[in-house]
Amino acid sequence: MLTNDLDFRLEPKLIELYEEHKKRSEKIDWGYHDFLPWDKGMDFRRVPWDKSQVTLPPAVITAVETALLTEVNLPWFTSHLDQTFKGSLTVIKDFVHTWTAEEDQHSNLIETYLLLTRNVDPKRLHQLHKDTVENGWNPDYQTPFETMVYTSMQELATMVFYNNVAKVAGQHDKDLSSLLRRLAKDETLHYAFYRDVIKFHLQLEPNYCYHLANVIMNFQMPGTVMPDFEDRMSIIAKEANYGPLEYFDQVLDVIVDYWELEKLRPIAPEAEKARLDILRYHARLKRVRDRFYRNNK
């Protein structure tokens, strides 16, 4: 009753989801070379980097750099998904392969942009990149359903992050704003697949609520392994348009509503308790959000 595997009865629906994803993805297929200001490129050997060459505000650089250091974890994330879905539904494993191919150029786009525009010290960026990948990433969720819940939230949060930072970045560099919005479109399609897989399971068996609570109430982005993560997120929240308030309004509130947790009625007592725990957690954060807005009018 409280299985944490994906339900084979849903495979035909999930195949339809996957086919729809591929059709939508083909319509917006892209190469990262199309989004880069190549005319700004200079040879670092002939023109060494100097901080006077930086053109973006520190907070925007921090946000873009943080996005890069999240994206470079792709090998670890892919390895985790591959192991988690081994023996699960074939369509999910197929989607993970497609997802990996689509995500693969994200870090290339961001890193090349930062180097071309000289908004970062290339030696420092190289070391940060290396250290982050070397640290690895091992999520707490090792089962198919929980991992699918996590990826739903992670893709939505990443989409929101890119779109929100793009609004701030656009005031300083239209190229940067465009490439961030381009990345957000990929994340939107990925989020749509993962979230609907979860919704179909909840509609078929509301007792899956039991496995939602742990992920939703302990959600963290994979970027937590990067150096100075907390300091970075504090800067981004204050100056780059993504923090706890945006997380509640544009991620948590959205996903709780989309999965219709208010309406679900699990039969298993543990599943119903988990559902109510999520709703209480959501209500508590909403009160915090509302109090903040009242005090900052």
Side-chain angles (χ1 to χ4, degrees):
M1 185 177 286
L2 296 177
T3 178
N4 204 345
D5 203 350
L6 302 179
D7 197 307
F8 71 93
R9 292 173 293 176
L10 288 171
E11 189 160 27
K13 271 194 167 186
L14 303 191
I15 290 173
E16 288 179 16
L17 267 186
Y18 179 43
E19 292 301 323
E20 181 61 26
H21 171 84
K22 287 193 290 186
K23 289 177 185 175
R24 293 174 68 189
S25 180
E26 284 171 7
K27 290 178 182 177
I28 59 170
D29 193 23
W30 59 286
Y32 76 89
H33 58 278
D34 289 326
F35 290 86
L36 290 167
W38 294 104
D39 57 305
K40 295 181 181 179
M42 292 186 289
D43 189 335
F44 284 106
R45 292 168 299 181
R46 296 195 179 98
V47 185
W49 182 84
D50 184 86
K51 62 183 179 181
S52 65
Q53 299 161 352
V54 173
T55 58
L56 293 173
V60 173
I61 295 172
T62 296
V64 177
E65 195 178 82
T66 300
L68 168 64
L69 298 179
T70 301
E71 295 284 3
V72 298
N73 270 310
L74 181 63
W76 296 106
F77 210 138
T78 300
S79 175
H80 167 68
L81 295 180
D82 184 60
Q83 291 300 313
T84 298
F85 296 120
K86 189 165 286 184
S88 190
L89 301 180
T90 299
V91 63
I92 300 298
K93 291 182 281 187
D94 290 343
F95 178 80
V96 168
H97 289 174
T98 298
W99 172 86
T100 301
E102 292 170 354
E103 289 276 343
D104 182 53
Q105 59 182 354
H106 289 191
S107 63
N108 290 333
L109 174 57
I110 300 171
E111 188 162 26
T112 307
Y113 167 84
L114 288 172
L115 293 174
L116 278 175
T117 59
R118 295 182 170 243
N119 275 297
V120 291
D121 177 346
K123 292 181 180 178
R124 174 179 164 277
L125 189 66
H126 169 73
Q127 193 60 50
L128 281 172
H129 184 151
K130 183 179 177 183
D131 290 346
T132 301
V133 176
E134 191 172 7
N135 284 340
W137 180 70
N138 188 30
D140 295 331
Y141 317 112
Q142 308 295 332
T143 53
F145 188 79
E146 279 188 318
T147 296
M148 195 67 72
V149 175
Y150 178 81
T151 51
S152 300
M153 297 186 68
Q154 182 261 327
E155 294 288 347
L156 175 56
T158 306
M159 178 198 81
V160 170
F161 179 92
Y162 282 138
N163 279 329
N164 287 15
V165 174
K167 292 176 183 176
V168 178
Q171 302 166 29
H172 308 280
D173 186 341
K174 298 298 182 185
D175 289 329
L176 174 57
S177 181
S178 295
L179 74 83
L180 291 173
R181 293 182 192 281
R182 172 58 266 181
L183 295 175
K185 287 183 180 179
D186 272 6
E187 309 299 5
T188 300
L189 293 187
H190 299 157
Y191 159 63
F193 179 86
Y194 288 124
R195 73 168 187 198
D196 285 342
V197 171
I198 295 301
K199 185 159 189 173
F200 288 155
H201 279 78
L202 292 171
Q203 290 171 337
L204 180 68
E205 177 51 82
N207 284 327
Y208 272 109
C209 279
Y210 177 74
H211 302 292
L212 291 177
N214 180 40
V215 183
I216 290 177
M217 295 166 64
N218 296 287
F219 176 76
Q220 286 187 317
M221 289 295 285
T224 52
V225 298
M226 74 181 66
D228 306 320
F229 179 76
E230 295 300 330
D231 291 340
R232 289 171 175 277
M233 294 312 297
S234 177
I235 292 169
I236 293 167
K238 292 174 183 174
E239 302 178 58
N241 203 26
Y242 185 82
L245 296 175
E246 289 78 16
Y247 171 74
F248 177 84
D249 286 337
Q250 298 173 267
V251 180
L252 180 63
D253 198 40
V254 170
I255 208 74
V256 167
D257 180 65
Y258 189 82
W259 287 336
E260 298 183 306
L261 298 186
E262 290 272 8
K263 299 178 183 178
L264 292 176
R265 293 296 179 267
I267 295 174
E270 307 99 308
E272 175 63 3
K273 178 182 181 302
R275 185 184 76 89
L276 294 176
D277 286 345
I278 295 168
L279 293 178
R280 282 191 286 267
Y281 171 73
H282 175 267
R284 184 169 71 252
L285 293 188
K286 184 176 185 296
R287 288 194 296 271
V288 172
R289 188 276 313 266
D290 291 345
R291 185 163 60 247
F292 177 87
Y293 285 147
R294 281 197 305 270
N295 294 338
N296 289 272
K297 281 184 178 180

